Amino acid sequence: MSYGTQSLLDNIRLSNGPEGLKNFYHDLLRRDSKKAFELVNDNNLHFDTLFLLRSELSKTAASDKLNPLYREALRIAEMLVAGEKSHAGRSIRSGRDEIGPVLRWMVKTGCPERYCGAELENYEQLMEISAALLTKSFRDTSALPEIAEMIFERNRDGRLIHDLVWAFFEARNPESLLLIAERLVSPYFADAALAKRLLCFIPGLDDESTAGPILYNRVLNWLGENRPFMSYTGENLHLCNLPRHYAVSLSAKYLRHPVSIDRDIPLPALNEFERCLAMQFDKLPEHQQQCLADFSHTLHKTNIRQWNAFLQLSADQQANLALSQTGRRDCYD
Protein backbone atom coordinates (compact mmCIF):
# COMPACT_ATOMS: atom_id res chain seq x y z
CA MET A 1 0.00 0.00 0.00
CA SER A 2 1.30 3.44 -0.94
CA TYR A 3 -0.10 6.30 1.14
CA GLY A 4 0.83 8.80 -1.56
CA THR A 5 -0.95 7.04 -4.44
CA GLN A 6 -4.64 7.71 -5.02
CA SER A 7 -7.35 5.32 -6.09
CA LEU A 8 -9.99 5.99 -8.75
CA LEU A 9 -12.54 6.82 -6.06
CA ASP A 10 -10.11 9.33 -4.49
CA ASN A 11 -9.69 11.03 -7.84
CA ILE A 12 -13.46 11.20 -8.33
CA ARG A 13 -13.81 12.80 -4.88
CA LEU A 14 -11.13 15.38 -5.67
CA SER A 15 -12.57 16.13 -9.11
CA ASN A 16 -16.29 16.10 -8.36
CA GLY A 17 -16.46 16.78 -4.62
CA PRO A 18 -18.06 14.72 -1.83
CA GLU A 19 -21.56 14.70 -3.32
CA GLY A 20 -20.24 13.79 -6.75
CA LEU A 21 -18.40 10.85 -5.20
CA LYS A 22 -21.49 9.67 -3.32
CA ASN A 23 -23.70 9.93 -6.41
CA PHE A 24 -21.18 8.04 -8.54
CA TYR A 25 -20.83 5.25 -6.01
CA HIS A 26 -24.57 5.01 -5.39
CA ASP A 27 -25.19 4.53 -9.12
CA LEU A 28 -22.33 2.06 -9.46
CA LEU A 29 -23.59 -0.06 -6.55
CA ARG A 30 -26.98 -0.27 -8.25
CA ARG A 31 -25.57 -1.12 -11.69
CA ASP A 32 -22.50 -3.23 -10.86
CA SER A 33 -22.00 -4.06 -7.18
CA LYS A 34 -19.04 -6.31 -7.93
CA LYS A 35 -17.18 -3.43 -9.57
CA ALA A 36 -18.24 -1.09 -6.74
CA PHE A 37 -16.64 -3.33 -4.11
CA GLU A 38 -13.58 -3.85 -6.27
CA LEU A 39 -13.06 -0.08 -6.34
CA VAL A 40 -13.68 0.47 -2.62
CA ASN A 41 -11.20 -2.30 -1.75
CA ASP A 42 -8.43 -0.68 -3.78
CA ASN A 43 -5.23 -0.85 -1.72
CA ASN A 44 -4.56 2.82 -2.48
CA LEU A 45 -7.92 4.09 -1.21
CA HIS A 46 -7.68 7.01 1.23
CA PHE A 47 -9.60 7.06 4.49
CA ASP A 48 -11.47 10.30 3.79
CA THR A 49 -13.01 8.70 0.71
CA LEU A 50 -14.02 5.59 2.65
CA PHE A 51 -15.51 7.79 5.38
CA LEU A 52 -17.68 9.65 2.87
CA LEU A 53 -18.98 6.36 1.48
CA ARG A 54 -19.80 4.79 4.84
CA SER A 55 -23.56 5.44 4.54
CA GLU A 56 -23.76 3.82 1.12
CA LEU A 57 -21.74 0.86 2.35
CA SER A 58 -23.89 0.42 5.46
CA LYS A 59 -27.00 0.12 3.31
CA THR A 60 -25.57 -2.90 1.55
CA ALA A 61 -24.40 -4.86 4.62
CA ALA A 62 -20.96 -4.63 3.14
CA SER A 63 -18.86 -5.46 6.21
CA ASP A 64 -17.98 -8.94 4.94
CA LYS A 65 -17.03 -7.54 1.53
CA LEU A 66 -14.52 -4.95 2.76
CA ASN A 67 -10.91 -5.83 3.46
CA PRO A 68 -10.11 -6.10 7.21
CA LEU A 69 -8.26 -2.78 7.40
CA TYR A 70 -11.11 -0.77 5.91
CA ARG A 71 -13.73 -2.68 7.88
CA GLU A 72 -11.97 -1.94 11.17
CA ALA A 73 -11.44 1.72 10.21
CA LEU A 74 -15.17 2.16 9.63
CA ARG A 75 -15.96 0.41 12.92
CA ILE A 76 -13.67 2.77 14.85
CA ALA A 77 -14.96 5.80 12.95
CA GLU A 78 -18.57 4.95 13.66
CA MET A 79 -17.90 4.59 17.39
CA LEU A 80 -16.01 7.87 17.59
CA VAL A 81 -18.44 9.87 15.46
CA ALA A 82 -21.33 8.51 17.54
CA GLY A 83 -19.57 9.73 20.69
CA GLU A 84 -18.73 6.25 21.98
CA LYS A 85 -15.21 7.28 22.98
CA SER A 86 -15.03 5.08 26.08
CA HIS A 87 -16.16 2.04 24.09
CA ALA A 88 -13.60 2.84 21.40
CA GLY A 89 -10.93 3.20 24.08
CA ARG A 90 -11.71 -0.23 25.48
CA SER A 91 -11.60 -1.68 21.99
CA ILE A 92 -8.21 -0.13 21.38
CA ARG A 93 -6.80 -1.37 24.68
CA SER A 94 -7.98 -4.89 23.92
CA GLY A 95 -6.59 -4.99 20.40
CA ARG A 96 -3.50 -2.80 20.26
CA ASP A 97 -1.64 -4.89 17.68
CA GLU A 98 -4.53 -4.81 15.23
CA ILE A 99 -5.76 -1.25 15.77
CA GLY A 100 -2.43 0.59 15.66
CA PRO A 101 -1.98 0.07 11.89
CA VAL A 102 -5.63 1.03 11.32
CA LEU A 103 -5.26 4.36 13.13
CA ARG A 104 -2.02 4.97 11.28
CA TRP A 105 -3.74 4.45 7.93
CA MET A 106 -6.70 6.62 8.93
CA VAL A 107 -4.52 9.57 9.94
CA LYS A 108 -1.88 9.29 7.21
CA THR A 109 -4.43 9.11 4.39
CA GLY A 110 -7.13 11.25 5.99
CA CYS A 111 -5.72 14.62 4.91
CA PRO A 112 -6.75 17.03 3.43
CA GLU A 113 -9.92 17.49 5.42
CA ARG A 114 -11.36 20.27 3.27
CA TYR A 115 -12.81 17.77 0.79
CA CYS A 116 -15.33 16.36 3.27
CA GLY A 117 -18.06 18.93 2.61
CA ALA A 118 -21.04 18.77 4.97
CA GLU A 119 -19.29 16.04 6.97
CA LEU A 120 -16.40 18.37 7.88
CA GLU A 121 -17.22 18.91 11.56
CA ASN A 122 -17.63 15.20 12.31
CA TYR A 123 -14.57 14.41 10.25
CA GLU A 124 -12.39 17.04 11.98
CA GLN A 125 -13.28 15.61 15.39
CA LEU A 126 -12.58 12.10 14.15
CA MET A 127 -9.14 13.13 12.90
CA GLU A 128 -8.35 14.84 16.22
CA ILE A 129 -9.27 11.79 18.28
CA SER A 130 -7.52 9.37 15.93
CA ALA A 131 -4.37 11.47 15.92
CA ALA A 132 -4.37 11.70 19.71
CA LEU A 133 -4.85 7.94 20.11
CA LEU A 134 -2.03 7.29 17.66
CA THR A 135 0.51 9.64 19.25
CA LYS A 136 -0.39 9.34 22.93
CA SER A 137 -1.70 5.79 23.37
CA PHE A 138 0.47 4.10 20.74
CA ARG A 139 3.50 6.44 20.81
CA ASP A 140 3.43 6.21 17.01
CA THR A 141 5.22 9.16 15.37
CA SER A 142 4.91 8.02 11.76
CA ALA A 143 1.90 10.27 11.01
CA LEU A 144 3.36 13.46 12.50
CA PRO A 145 4.01 14.98 9.02
CA GLU A 146 0.35 14.50 8.12
CA ILE A 147 -0.83 15.87 11.48
CA ALA A 148 1.39 18.93 10.99
CA GLU A 149 -0.08 19.43 7.51
CA MET A 150 -3.62 19.31 8.93
CA ILE A 151 -2.70 21.82 11.65
CA PHE A 152 -1.36 24.41 9.23
CA GLU A 153 -4.10 23.85 6.66
CA ARG A 154 -6.77 24.35 9.31
CA ASN A 155 -5.02 27.47 10.57
CA ARG A 156 -4.93 29.00 7.07
CA ASP A 157 -8.68 28.36 6.82
CA GLY A 158 -9.39 29.88 10.24
CA ARG A 159 -10.50 26.55 11.72
CA LEU A 160 -9.77 25.24 15.22
CA ILE A 161 -6.36 23.66 15.79
CA HIS A 162 -6.06 23.24 19.57
CA ASP A 163 -6.82 19.51 19.78
CA LEU A 164 -4.63 18.62 16.79
CA VAL A 165 -1.73 20.65 18.19
CA TRP A 166 -2.15 18.83 21.50
CA ALA A 167 -2.08 15.46 19.71
CA PHE A 168 1.04 16.50 17.75
CA PHE A 169 3.06 17.48 20.81
CA GLU A 170 1.84 14.54 22.90
CA ALA A 171 4.10 12.42 20.70
CA ARG A 172 6.92 13.91 22.82
CA ASN A 173 9.27 13.82 19.89
CA PRO A 174 11.64 16.84 19.73
CA GLU A 175 12.73 15.97 16.19
CA SER A 176 9.17 16.72 15.09
CA LEU A 177 9.83 20.39 15.83
CA LEU A 178 11.47 20.54 12.42
CA LEU A 179 8.07 19.83 10.86
CA ILE A 180 6.87 23.03 12.51
CA ALA A 181 10.07 24.96 11.74
CA GLU A 182 9.73 24.20 8.02
CA ARG A 183 6.74 26.57 7.98
CA LEU A 184 9.01 29.49 8.91
CA VAL A 185 9.95 29.60 5.22
CA SER A 186 6.38 29.12 3.98
CA PRO A 187 5.01 31.64 1.44
CA TYR A 188 1.90 31.87 3.65
CA PHE A 189 2.18 34.50 6.37
CA ALA A 190 -0.24 32.52 8.56
CA ASP A 191 2.07 29.49 8.44
CA ALA A 192 5.12 31.43 9.59
CA ALA A 193 3.17 33.22 12.32
CA LEU A 194 1.79 29.95 13.70
CA ALA A 195 5.22 28.29 13.55
CA LYS A 196 6.68 31.12 15.65
CA ARG A 197 3.83 30.77 18.12
CA LEU A 198 4.26 27.00 18.49
CA LEU A 199 8.05 27.33 18.82
CA CYS A 200 7.97 30.31 21.18
CA PHE A 201 10.17 28.44 23.68
CA ILE A 202 13.10 28.70 21.22
CA PRO A 203 14.96 32.02 21.60
CA GLY A 204 15.33 34.41 18.69
CA LEU A 205 12.20 33.59 16.68
CA ASP A 206 10.27 36.75 17.55
CA ASP A 207 12.36 39.03 15.33
CA GLU A 208 10.00 40.24 12.61
CA SER A 209 12.88 41.64 10.52
CA THR A 210 14.70 38.31 10.22
CA ALA A 211 14.13 36.18 7.13
CA GLY A 212 12.52 32.75 7.40
CA PRO A 213 15.59 30.72 6.36
CA ILE A 214 17.66 32.39 9.09
CA LEU A 215 14.99 31.59 11.68
CA TYR A 216 14.85 28.00 10.45
CA ASN A 217 18.61 27.68 10.91
CA ARG A 218 18.25 29.07 14.42
CA VAL A 219 15.83 26.24 15.21
CA LEU A 220 18.25 23.69 13.75
CA ASN A 221 21.15 25.06 15.79
CA TRP A 222 19.11 25.33 18.97
CA LEU A 223 17.80 21.80 18.65
CA GLY A 224 21.27 20.44 17.91
CA GLU A 225 22.60 22.11 21.05
CA ASN A 226 19.76 21.36 23.45
CA ARG A 227 18.14 18.09 22.28
CA PRO A 228 19.64 15.85 25.01
CA PHE A 229 18.53 18.21 27.77
CA MET A 230 14.91 18.81 26.74
CA SER A 231 11.83 17.59 28.57
CA TYR A 232 8.16 17.86 27.66
CA THR A 233 6.24 20.34 29.82
CA GLY A 234 2.64 19.41 28.99
CA GLU A 235 1.72 23.04 28.34
CA ASN A 236 -0.78 23.44 25.50
CA LEU A 237 -3.05 25.90 23.70
CA HIS A 238 -5.95 24.94 25.93
CA LEU A 239 -4.11 26.49 28.86
CA CYS A 240 -2.35 29.51 27.38
CA ASN A 241 -1.81 31.36 24.12
CA LEU A 242 1.95 30.78 23.99
CA PRO A 243 2.63 27.35 25.49
CA ARG A 244 6.24 26.38 26.08
CA HIS A 245 5.95 22.79 24.98
CA TYR A 246 9.54 21.91 25.87
CA ALA A 247 11.96 23.15 28.54
CA VAL A 248 15.73 22.83 28.64
CA SER A 249 17.29 21.68 31.91
CA LEU A 250 20.14 24.13 32.43
CA SER A 251 21.77 21.98 35.10
CA ALA A 252 21.73 18.99 32.73
CA LYS A 253 23.29 21.10 29.98
CA TYR A 254 25.88 22.39 32.44
CA LEU A 255 26.78 18.83 33.46
CA ARG A 256 26.38 17.50 29.91
CA HIS A 257 24.03 14.88 31.29
CA PRO A 258 20.91 13.90 29.23
CA VAL A 259 17.47 13.89 30.81
CA SER A 260 14.25 11.95 30.27
CA ILE A 261 11.95 13.51 27.66
CA ASP A 262 8.96 12.88 29.92
CA ARG A 263 10.40 14.45 33.06
CA ASP A 264 13.44 16.50 34.00
CA ILE A 265 15.23 13.46 35.43
CA PRO A 266 18.88 12.65 34.59
CA LEU A 267 19.60 9.51 32.54
CA PRO A 268 21.34 7.70 34.11
CA ALA A 269 21.23 8.94 37.69
CA LEU A 270 23.88 11.45 38.79
CA ASN A 271 26.85 10.28 40.83
CA GLU A 272 27.79 11.93 44.11
CA PHE A 273 30.15 14.48 42.52
CA GLU A 274 27.55 15.43 39.90
CA ARG A 275 24.84 15.79 42.55
CA CYS A 276 27.02 18.23 44.49
CA LEU A 277 27.67 20.23 41.33
CA ALA A 278 23.95 20.28 40.50
CA MET A 279 23.08 21.52 44.00
CA GLN A 280 25.68 24.26 43.72
CA PHE A 281 24.43 25.19 40.26
CA ASP A 282 20.76 25.30 41.30
CA LYS A 283 21.52 27.99 43.91
CA LEU A 284 22.71 30.42 41.22
CA PRO A 285 20.39 33.03 39.67
CA GLU A 286 18.82 31.94 36.38
CA HIS A 287 20.82 34.32 34.18
CA GLN A 288 24.06 32.92 35.60
CA GLN A 289 22.82 29.37 35.17
CA GLN A 290 22.12 30.10 31.50
CA CYS A 291 25.57 31.55 30.93
CA LEU A 292 27.44 28.75 32.70
CA ALA A 293 25.36 26.09 30.94
CA ASP A 294 26.15 27.64 27.54
CA PHE A 295 29.83 28.00 28.39
CA SER A 296 30.07 24.44 29.74
CA HIS A 297 28.42 23.11 26.58
CA THR A 298 30.84 24.98 24.31
CA LEU A 299 33.90 24.03 26.36
CA HIS A 300 32.86 20.38 26.36
CA LYS A 301 32.71 20.41 22.55
CA THR A 302 36.11 22.04 22.13
CA ASN A 303 38.29 20.62 24.94
CA ILE A 304 37.17 17.78 27.20
CA ARG A 305 40.22 18.07 29.48
CA GLN A 306 39.61 21.74 30.11
CA TRP A 307 35.94 21.02 30.66
CA ASN A 308 36.75 18.44 33.35
CA ALA A 309 39.05 20.96 35.03
CA PHE A 310 36.34 23.62 34.76
CA LEU A 311 33.92 21.47 36.77
CA GLN A 312 36.44 21.26 39.63
CA LEU A 313 36.31 25.04 40.15
CA SER A 314 34.03 26.87 42.55
CA ALA A 315 30.99 28.68 41.18
CA ASP A 316 32.76 32.04 41.40
CA GLN A 317 35.83 30.69 39.64
CA GLN A 318 33.67 29.19 36.90
CA ALA A 319 31.86 32.50 36.44
CA ASN A 320 35.16 34.40 36.26
CA LEU A 321 36.50 31.99 33.66
CA ALA A 322 33.33 32.20 31.58
CA LEU A 323 33.40 36.00 31.78
CA SER A 324 37.04 36.16 30.68
CA GLN A 325 36.44 33.75 27.79
CA THR A 326 33.12 35.07 26.49
CA GLY A 327 32.78 38.61 27.80
CA ARG A 328 29.22 37.82 28.95
CA ARG A 329 28.55 39.87 32.05
CA ASP A 330 25.53 37.72 32.89
CA CYS A 331 27.97 34.97 33.91
CA TYR A 332 28.83 36.97 36.99
CA ASP A 333 26.44 39.90 37.57
Side-chain angles (χ1 to χ4, degrees):
M1 177 181 295
S2 173
Y3 291 139
T5 305
Q6 293 174 335
S7 69
L8 175 61
L9 292 177
D10 295 320
N11 287 323
I12 292 172
R13 171 177 56 85
L14 294 173
S15 299
N16 301 333
E19 293 308 314
L21 169 69
K22 292 177 184 178
N23 292 335
F24 169 83
Y25 200 73
H26 176 80
D27 291 341
L28 184 61
L29 270 173
R30 183 170 47 82
R31 291 184 289 105
D32 188 346
S33 62
K34 181 179 179 181
K35 182 63 176 178
F37 284 106
E38 179 184 318
L39 291 182
V40 83
N41 279 311
D42 189 318
N43 285 334
N44 294 315
L45 187 76
H46 286 201
F47 173 67
D48 39 6
T49 296
L50 181 67
F51 179 81
L52 288 170
L53 295 177
R54 71 193 192 286
S55 295
E56 289 297 328
L57 293 170
S58 67
K59 295 174 185 176
T60 61
S63 60
D64 60 333
K65 299 179 182 178
L66 287 175
N67 72 48
L69 174 65
Y70 299 171
R71 184 166 62 244
E72 186 66 7
L74 284 183
R75 186 181 73 86
I76 293 172
E78 286 300 326
M79 285 192 293
L80 295 178
V81 168
E84 299 178 28
K85 298 177 185 178
S86 60
H87 181 40
R90 289 194 297 273
S91 177
I92 286 169
R93 287 191 292 273
S94 65
R96 295 179 64 90
D97 293 341
E98 298 81 12
I99 292 179
V102 180
L103 289 171
R104 186 183 309 124
W105 175 74
M106 290 168 65
V107 176
K108 287 182 74 68
T109 69
C111 182
E113 302 170 308
R114 63 179 177 272
Y115 293 108
C116 285
E119 297 274 15
L120 183 58
E121 183 176 352
N122 282 338
Y123 190 73
E124 283 182 335
Q125 293 177 358
L126 175 58
M127 284 291 98
E128 291 163 359
I129 300 169
S130 300
L133 288 170
L134 190 63
T135 59
K136 185 170 176 63
S137 298
F138 287 85
R139 285 289 185 263
D140 188 324
T141 62
S142 63
L144 287 177
E146 287 77 16
I147 298 173
E149 180 60 36
M150 281 192 280
I151 289 170
F152 283 89
E153 180 182 283
R154 282 193 190 188
N155 184 63
R156 288 195 296 272
D157 293 343
R159 292 183 280 138
L160 295 176
I161 62 171
H162 291 52
D163 289 337
L164 268 184
V165 170
W166 181 83
F168 181 89
F169 281 101
E170 274 296 315
R172 307 184 185 201
N173 181 273
E175 285 72 24
S176 70
L177 298 180
L178 296 179
L179 296 170
I180 304 294
E182 289 171 359
R183 271 65 182 192
L184 292 168
V185 297
S186 169
Y188 298 103
F189 174 82
D191 284 5
L194 178 59
K196 291 178 183 179
R197 182 182 173 194
L198 297 179
L199 299 176
C200 66
F201 52 90
I202 299 179
L205 298 187
D206 55 354
D207 187 350
E208 296 297 332
S209 63
T210 303
I214 296 176
L215 296 180
Y216 177 74
N217 284 329
R218 284 181 186 174
V219 175
L220 284 180
N221 294 334
W222 184 89
L223 190 59
E225 180 173 320
N226 294 290
R227 170 62 184 90
F229 319 115
M230 294 169 58
S231 57
Y232 181 62
T233 66
E235 291 187 17
N236 57 70
L237 288 173
H238 296 286
L239 300 176
C240 59
N241 190 48
L242 293 172
R244 302 179 67 84
H245 294 101
Y246 289 96
V248 175
S249 170
L250 294 179
S251 63
K253 187 175 182 180
Y254 165 75
L255 293 172
R256 297 292 305 161
H257 205 298
V259 296
S260 164
I261 193 64
D262 295 310
R263 290 181 292 172
D264 184 4
I265 297 177
L267 296 173
L270 300 178
N271 59 36
E272 185 63 30
F273 174 65
E274 291 170 329
R275 283 198 296 272
C276 289
L277 285 176
M279 291 175 61
Q280 173 182 277
F281 182 85
D282 288 341
K283 294 176 182 178
L284 300 174
E286 186 176 354
H287 67 273
Q288 195 170 345
Q289 289 183 6
Q290 183 69 64
C291 181
L292 289 181
D294 292 343
F295 180 74
S296 176
H297 171 77
T298 301
L299 188 61
H300 182 274
K301 287 195 301 183
T302 56
N303 193 314
I304 290 288
R305 292 181 61 186
Q306 287 186 11
W307 178 76
N308 284 319
F310 165 77
L311 291 184
Q312 304 297 324
L313 302 176
S314 68
D316 279 349
Q317 289 174 320
Q318 290 180 3
N320 282 329
L321 179 61
L323 173 61
S324 67
Q325 294 290 319
T326 67
R328 285 178 57 173
R329 294 297 308 176
D330 56 337
C331 288
Y332 204 84
D333 291 344

